């Protein structure tokens, strides 16, 4: 079971094991290799057990989107305590567990958009819109709000795709500069 911050709480339940197996299969071998049978085998459950929790592949993707919503909700709660701009930029280099989930959902949606549910698309859109709305509310200059969002999105995409990030020193310098600019406005 996942806490809102993405950490594992105790032994994962069947639903969580299935989603973990789905992420692993998708990341290791691509969406084309994902079958209900392979995911069930990886999760150590019967096909019927998997279908009880997720009646089809689109439901698996939707389950991952629900997890992403939980990651985002935890980060938004952190933003309420520590500031929107700071939290957004600091969480733009996600931990590997969160990055794997984002990559899995984005890969699945991109590779097979016809089998993506409207709810999955809505969850993904809401994640991006929630941050945009909060950044625009926190920063009076809409262009600076966009610069901060695009910077964070770029860092996030780099991390999620496994590309090399700039050094932590450079990232911290960018964050400091953007925070100083936001504080001026």
């Amino acid at each position: 079971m996942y806490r809102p911050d993405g950490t594992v709480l105790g032994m994962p339940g069947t639903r969580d094991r299935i989603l973990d197996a789905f992420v692993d299969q998708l990341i290791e071998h691509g969406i084309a290799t994902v079958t209900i049978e392979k995911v069930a085998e990886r999760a150590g459950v019967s096909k019927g057990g998997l279908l009880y929790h997720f009646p089809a592949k689109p439901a698996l993707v939707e389950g991952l989107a629900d997890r992403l919503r939980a990651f985002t909700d935890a980060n938004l709660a952190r933003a309420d305590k520590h500031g929107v701009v700071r939290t957004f930029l600091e969480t733009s280099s996600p931990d590997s567990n969160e990055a794997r989930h984002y990559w899995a959902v984005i890969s699945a949606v991109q590779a097979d958009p016809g089998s993506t549910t409207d709810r999955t698309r809505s969850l993904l859109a809401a994640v991006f819109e929630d941050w945009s709305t909060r950044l625009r509310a926190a920063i009076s200059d809409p262009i600076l709000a966009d610069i901060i969002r695009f910077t964070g999105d770029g860092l996030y995409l780099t991390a999620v795709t496994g590309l090399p990030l700039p050094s932590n020193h450079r990232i911290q310098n960018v964050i400091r500069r953007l925070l100083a600019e936001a504080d001026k406005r």
Side-chain angles (χ1 to χ4, degrees), residues 55-86:
K57 195 176 351 180
L60 286 165
V61 178
E62 191 172 298
L64 291 184
D66 284 328
R67 278 187 176 177
L68 294 183
R69 183 74 249 182
F71 287 127
T72 300
D73 289 345
N75 287 334
L76 291 171
R78 180 177 163 196
D80 291 339
K81 292 179 184 176
H82 303 288
V84 173
V85 175
R86 176 176 299 283

Side-chain angles (χ1 to χ4, degrees), residues 6 9 17-18 37 46 48 50 68 72 74 77 85 91-92 116-117 123 135 150 157 162 164 166 169 176 181 183:
L9 176 65
R17 283 196 335 269
I18 292 167
E37 293 80 10
S46 68
L50 184 147
L68 294 183
T72 300
V85 175
T91 59
S92 291
T116 302
T117 66
L123 285 166
L135 287 167
F150 299 154
L157 183 61
H169 177 71
R176 274 192 291 281
E181 290 300 316
D183 288 343

Side-chain angles (χ1 to χ4, degrees), residues 23 43 48 60 74 81 89 103 112 130 137 139 155 158 172 180:
V23 169
L60 286 165
K81 292 179 184 176
L89 290 169
W103 180 249
D112 195 7
D130 286 350
I139 303 165
L155 287 170
T158 301
Q172 292 307 311

Side-chain angles (χ1 to χ4, degrees), residues 112-127:
D112 195 7
S115 69
T116 302
T117 66
D118 289 341
R119 184 169 179 275
T120 297
R121 283 189 286 283
S122 293
L123 285 166
L124 289 175
V127 165

Side-chain angles (χ1 to χ4, degrees), residues 10-11 13 19 24 28 39 64 66 68 84 90-93 96 100 109 112 121-122 124 129 131 134 154 158:
M11 287 295 292
L19 287 173
D24 292 343
E28 291 171 18
V39 174
L64 291 184
D66 284 328
L68 294 183
V84 173
E90 287 176 351
T91 59
S92 291
S93 297
S96 61
R100 285 173 57 83
V109 168
D112 195 7
R121 283 189 286 283
S122 293
L124 289 175
E129 186 55 35
W131 280 114
R134 287 193 183 213
T158 301

Side-chain angles (χ1 to χ4, degrees), residues 13-61 64 67 104 108:
T14 303
R15 184 176 169 82
D16 288 316
R17 283 196 335 269
I18 292 167
L19 287 173
D20 291 340
F22 176 55
V23 169
D24 292 343
Q25 182 69 28
L26 194 151
I27 288 174
E28 291 171 18
H29 304 287
I31 191 71
T33 70
V34 174
T35 64
I36 296 298
E37 293 80 10
K38 285 184 181 177
V39 174
E41 182 180 334
R42 280 187 93 127
V45 299
S46 68
K47 180 179 175 182
L50 184 147
L51 292 172
Y52 173 79
H53 294 282
F54 303 98
K57 195 176 351 180
L60 286 165
V61 178
L64 291 184
R67 278 187 176 177

